[in-house]
């Protein structure tokens, strides 16, 4: 790691009142949570497959009204 990069990390850790080690642990946890468990190609394939379906649709307000009426029936 370049010295300049370490200085930026050290300053970020200090601003958060954390040690560099704790700042790094938290950054890695955030990165892990944000990492997708499925690859991009699998997601795109699922979207493309969904586009081939032809389900009946209606006006959104009509659909919501029908759903709501089902709750009160």
């Amino acid at each position: 790691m370049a010295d300049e990069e370490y200085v930026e990390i050290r300053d970020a850790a200090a601003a958060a009142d954390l040690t560099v080690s704790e700042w790094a642990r938290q950054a890695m946890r955030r990165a892990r949570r944000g990492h997708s468990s499925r690859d991009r190609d699998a997601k795109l394939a699922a979207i493309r497959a969904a586009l081939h379906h032809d389900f009946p649709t209606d006006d959104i307000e009509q659909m919501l009204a029908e759903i709501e009426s089902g709750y009160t029936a």
Side-chain angles (χ1 to χ4, degrees):
M1 173 181 304
D3 289 342
E4 298 83 23
E5 188 176 14
Y6 178 78
V7 168
E8 288 177 11
I9 291 170
R10 185 194 65 204
D11 292 347
D17 199 27
L18 299 170
T19 64
V20 170
S21 298
E22 181 58 26
W23 185 92
R25 281 190 290 274
Q26 289 181 15
M28 287 186 282
R29 286 182 192 118
R30 282 190 304 275
R32 190 180 70 219
R33 281 192 305 268
H35 179 68
S36 175
S37 60
R38 299 190 64 198
D39 66 32
R40 177 175 124 359
D41 292 333
K43 290 178 182 178
L44 288 173
I47 291 169
R48 288 185 183 113
L51 291 174
H52 294 289
H53 296 286
D54 186 24
F55 298 112
T57 60
D58 204 341
D59 175 71
I60 187 64
E61 296 302 323
Q62 172 79 26
M63 291 170 54
L64 292 173
E66 290 174 4
I67 292 168
E68 192 66 29
S69 70
Y71 291 139
T72 59

